[in-house]
Amino acid sequence: MNISMSLMPYILLITGVLPALFAMRLAAKQNRSVLTSGVVTFVLGFSWVGGWIYLAIMNLLAPKPVEK
């Protein structure tokens, strides 16, 4: 399968940026670090499916309890 360089921005968007945005949104709902979740997901997104797998694992984890 040939992947031309003109498709790389779209592949990066699908494998890195979208899961990072979703992870940041989920981290805010789960009282986790938004920046850390976004960066980790974006970096793992360069492995093509790593960002999506990390996002799935975040969905399975219980939210952190709110400290008073």
Side-chain angles (χ1 to χ4, degrees), residues 1-25:
M1 180 168 117
N2 280 338
I3 298 175
S4 67
M5 287 304 290
S6 63
L7 290 176
M8 287 309 289
Y10 300 111
I11 292 172
L12 179 63
L13 179 74
I14 292 171
T15 63
V17 176
L18 282 178
L21 292 174
F22 290 145
M24 290 170 67
R25 183 173 171 224

Side-chain angles (χ1 to χ4, degrees), residues 4-64:
S4 67
M5 287 304 290
S6 63
L7 290 176
M8 287 309 289
Y10 300 111
I11 292 172
L12 179 63
L13 179 74
I14 292 171
T15 63
V17 176
L18 282 178
L21 292 174
F22 290 145
M24 290 170 67
R25 183 173 171 224
L26 181 63
K29 287 182 178 180
Q30 291 186 343
N31 298 323
R32 298 185 185 278
S33 173
V34 175
L35 181 63
T36 303
S37 297
V39 169
V40 168
T41 308
F42 182 73
V43 169
L44 288 174
F46 286 109
S47 68
W48 294 69
V49 295
W52 291 108
I53 292 172
Y54 182 72
L55 183 61
I57 291 170
M58 278 183 62
N59 271 316
L60 295 175
L61 295 176
K64 281 191 173 181

